[in-house]
């Protein structure tokens, strides 16, 4: 009798373990009802699909790290619809949001779901392909000067290019006044892909923004060319001049605005809230999406090294993943995440998310929660995977909640239940 009872208890225990494992492998839905008790369990990696290549990581934990699961009950709910291909979002001082729309307009969205009429007065954009009105940031002194800075795809006689502009939000919030282009990432190219387009302010008040290498085979090598602004992280003043302290200032045949190089299409930039380090996400080709910690003057390898392959299946270049003098990504995805906007969580509503990085996934249709420790990824979770949305950008609101926009025009609030 004791033997039968023992075997029954073992069977029940194994069954519960299997249920927990299966639950950990599934995408987090928009409505989490997990216990608020701390969860220190290590789950299987969230990625279960076959990779595109047989490439091996350079170190343990560089890809397919252990899964994680938020123990606090949270929910993701749509609070606004009707945005037209939104691309960038920032929180205004009063708790509302300023949002770029790809076709060339700005809008203001309230937490009540109310959308403003389009804000006019911005320079024309080329919205074909991946171009348009892209990332934006408020001036650190916005409350006193009302200045807004944005990135967009600009038309020139030689083709399109990534540009940065600034202007003042009018008192009635209907227009941008005195809009001015302060920087153009040359050379221009007759194509409509890989503009990069994210922008942040550093602690000195300088602008850091990203440019893509424009995708085509003839422009790819420019990511390695220090006399071209393509495939770079650039650092400039509010007037568009090279920022003091940049790593290549004073060197001949090198653009002094360059901060780092060897990038493919970086669409995520964020400063760590405690260390101040700059973190970046960029698209790989077929596989090889990257998370990088950006350091001044470093070469991040594209297209010389990559963990991805060409879309048609061939190797990129020599097909190598490591080379002396080229930086390894802190983390990479294969299959791709298609990472766009990113933000660090500093709110108090869900303490276990403190200093975690949240990454918008496009083709992967989820938000990735990345847990960092000592500049390494130690856990990954998928949020809102059941929503089926291409998440484009994310920010933290004044209320401590996360807010994310999607390509079809939805604004989500993600917060504790």
């Amino acid at each position: 009798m004791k033997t039968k009872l023992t075997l029954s208890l073992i069977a029940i225990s194994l069954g519960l373990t299997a249920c927990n494992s299966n639950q950990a492998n599934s995408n987090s839905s928009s409505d989490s009802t997990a216990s608020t008790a701390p969860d220190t369990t290590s789950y299987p990696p969230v990625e279960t699909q076959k990779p595109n290549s047989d490439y091996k990581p350079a170190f343990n934990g560089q890809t397919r790290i252990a899964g994680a699961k938020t123990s606090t009950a949270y929910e993701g709910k749509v609070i606004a619809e009707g945005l037209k291909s939104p691309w960038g979002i920032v929180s205004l001082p009063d708790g509302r949001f300023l949002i770029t729309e790809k076709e060339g307009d700005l809008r203001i969205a309230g937490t009540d779901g109310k959308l403003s009429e389009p804000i006019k007065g911005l320079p024309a954009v080329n919205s074909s392909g991946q171009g348009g009105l892209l990332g934006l940031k408020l001036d650190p002194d916005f409350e006193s000067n009302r200045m807004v800075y944005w990135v967009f795809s600009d038309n020139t006689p030689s083709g399109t290019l990534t540009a940065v502009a600034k202007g003042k939000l009018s008192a009635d919030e209907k227009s941008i006044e005195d809009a001015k282009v302060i920087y153009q990432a040359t050379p221009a190219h007759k194509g409509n892909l890989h503009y990069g387009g994210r922008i942040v302010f550093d602690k000195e008040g300088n602008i850091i923004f990203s440019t893509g290498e424009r995708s085509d085979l003839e422009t790819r090598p420019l990511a390695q060319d220090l006399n071209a602004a393509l495939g770079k992280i650039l650092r400039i003043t509010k007037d568009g001049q090279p920022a003091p302290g940049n790593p290549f200032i004073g060197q001949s045949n090198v653009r002094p605005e360059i901060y780092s190089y060897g990038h493919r299409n970086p669409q995520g930039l964020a400063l760590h809230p405690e260390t101040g380090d700059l973190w970046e996400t960029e698209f790989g080709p077929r596989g090889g999406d990257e998370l990088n910690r950006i350091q001044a003057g470093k070469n991040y390898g594209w297209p010389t090294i990559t963990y991805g392959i060409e879309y048609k299946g061939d190797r990129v270049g020599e097909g190598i993943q490591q080379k002396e003098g080229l930086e390894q990504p802190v983390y990479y995805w294969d299959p791709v995440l298609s990472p766009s906007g990113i933000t660090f969580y500093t709110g108090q509503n869900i303490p276990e998310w403190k200093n975690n990085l949240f990454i918008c996934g496009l083709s992967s249709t989820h938000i990735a929660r990345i847990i960092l420790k000592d500049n390494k990824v130690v856990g990954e979770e998928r949020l809102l995977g059941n929503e089926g949305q291409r998440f484009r950008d994310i920010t933290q609101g004044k209320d401590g909640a996360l807010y994310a926009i999607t390509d079809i025009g939805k604004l989500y609030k993600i917060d504790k239940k």
Side-chain angles (χ1 to χ4, degrees):
M1 187 69 179
K2 288 183 178 179
T3 301
K4 291 182 178 180
L5 178 59
T6 300
L7 290 173
S8 297
L9 290 172
I10 291 172
I12 292 171
S13 176
L14 290 173
L16 288 173
T17 301
C19 288
N20 287 338
S21 177
N22 289 337
Q23 186 179 18
N25 275 318
S26 65
N27 287 355
S28 298
S29 72
S30 59
D31 185 1
S32 167
T33 56
S35 167
T36 57
D39 185 358
T40 57
T41 306
S42 178
Y43 292 95
V46 294
E47 184 58 76
T48 59
Q49 296 185 55
K50 183 180 178 181
N52 289 286
S53 74
D54 58 0
Y55 299 152
K56 304 301 180 186
F59 53 86
N60 290 334
Q62 195 181 19
T63 191
R64 301 196 181 215
I65 197 67
K69 186 175 180 183
T70 300
S71 57
T72 303
Y74 71 91
E75 63 180 352
K77 58 183 179 181
V78 178
I79 63 169
E81 298 186 63
L83 292 162
K84 298 178 181 179
S85 300
W87 211 94
I89 179 171
V90 292
S91 180
L92 290 164
D94 64 3
R96 295 176 299 157
F97 301 94
L98 189 62
I99 298 170
T100 58
E101 294 180 321
K102 188 175 180 291
E103 295 296 318
D105 291 324
L106 285 169
R107 283 184 190 265
I108 293 175
T111 55
D112 58 0
K114 184 178 179 181
L115 300 178
S116 75
E117 292 298 314
I119 297 170
K120 302 297 184 179
L122 283 72
V125 306
N126 185 320
S127 61
S128 65
Q130 295 174 358
L133 185 57
L134 307 175
L136 81 163
K137 270 289 182 283
L138 304 182
D139 190 289
D141 298 318
F142 176 83
E143 290 188 76
S144 60
N145 64 22
R146 300 185 65 81
M147 293 298 292
V148 180
Y149 293 75
W150 64 93
V151 184
F152 69 107
S153 52
D154 196 4
N155 281 314
T156 76
S158 302
T160 60
L161 47 71
T162 303
V164 180
K166 66 179 181 180
K168 182 178 181 179
L169 179 63
S170 64
D172 62 8
E173 299 180 338
K174 293 183 178 180
S175 66
I176 292 291
E177 300 171 343
D178 302 319
K180 178 184 178 182
V181 176
I182 62 171
Y183 183 87
Q184 292 179 316
T186 55
H189 176 63
K190 293 186 183 298
N192 59 12
L193 303 175
H194 293 194
Y195 290 98
R198 292 297 171 196
I199 179 173
V200 297
F201 277 93
D202 67 14
K203 62 182 180 180
E204 288 84 22
N206 293 308
I207 296 166
I208 301 174
F209 69 102
S210 62
T211 66
E213 36 69 288
R214 307 304 308 279
S215 180
D216 293 335
L217 290 176
E218 62 267 31
T219 59
R220 272 186 189 177
L222 296 181
Q224 290 293 318
D225 186 347
L226 290 175
N227 200 21
L230 279 62
K232 307 295 191 299
I233 305 298
L234 302 167
R235 183 170 173 263
I236 60 175
T237 67
K238 293 179 183 179
D239 294 322
Q241 299 302 307
N246 278 357
F248 299 111
I249 286 179
Q251 297 187 28
S252 60
N253 297 317
V254 177
R255 299 203 179 191
E257 63 269 29
I258 293 175
Y259 192 76
S260 67
Y261 63 110
H263 302 289
R264 187 171 181 267
N265 189 23
Q267 283 192 13
L269 289 177
L271 297 173
H272 192 282
E274 290 188 357
T275 67
D277 289 345
L278 178 65
W279 289 78
E280 173 254 26
T281 52
E282 66 182 78
F283 290 78
R286 188 172 153 191
D289 287 352
E290 295 182 359
L291 170 64
N292 292 297
R293 185 170 71 94
I294 302 300
Q295 299 179 73
K298 298 292 187 179
N299 182 350
Y300 289 82
W302 178 260
T304 308
I305 61 171
T306 177
Y307 286 93
I309 59 176
E310 300 283 9
Y311 291 112
K312 60 183 180 181
D314 298 338
R315 294 177 179 268
V316 175
E318 297 178 6
I320 59 174
Q321 293 75 58
Q322 301 177 47
K323 187 173 183 179
E324 186 176 356
L326 305 184
E327 298 300 306
Q328 282 291 308
V330 171
Y331 197 68
Y332 73 86
W333 290 265
D334 185 14
V336 296
L337 171 66
S338 298
S340 196
I342 67 177
T343 196
F344 282 98
Y345 182 80
T346 61
Q348 303 298 319
N349 302 358
I350 304 180
E352 63 193 287
W353 285 1
K354 182 179 180 181
N355 295 337
N356 289 177
L357 181 64
F358 290 80
I359 304 173
C360 287
L362 293 171
S363 65
S364 56
T365 63
H366 68 262
I367 296 171
R369 171 194 170 210
I370 298 296
I371 306 171
L372 296 167
K373 182 179 180 181
D374 298 327
N375 296 325
K376 300 292 184 184
V377 176
V378 297
E380 180 178 7
E381 182 179 15
R382 293 178 174 180
L383 308 180
L384 307 192
N386 291 342
E387 295 295 298
Q389 295 290 314
R390 288 171 56 88
F391 290 95
R392 178 62 68 172
D393 197 16
I394 187 167
T395 193
Q396 186 172 301
K398 297 299 180 181
D399 57 359
L402 293 174
Y403 290 83
I405 49 176
T406 72
D407 276 2
I408 65 169
K410 294 185 177 183
L411 172 61
Y412 278 81
K413 178 181 180 180
I414 308 161
D415 198 11
K416 181 178 179 178
K417 290 187 68 175

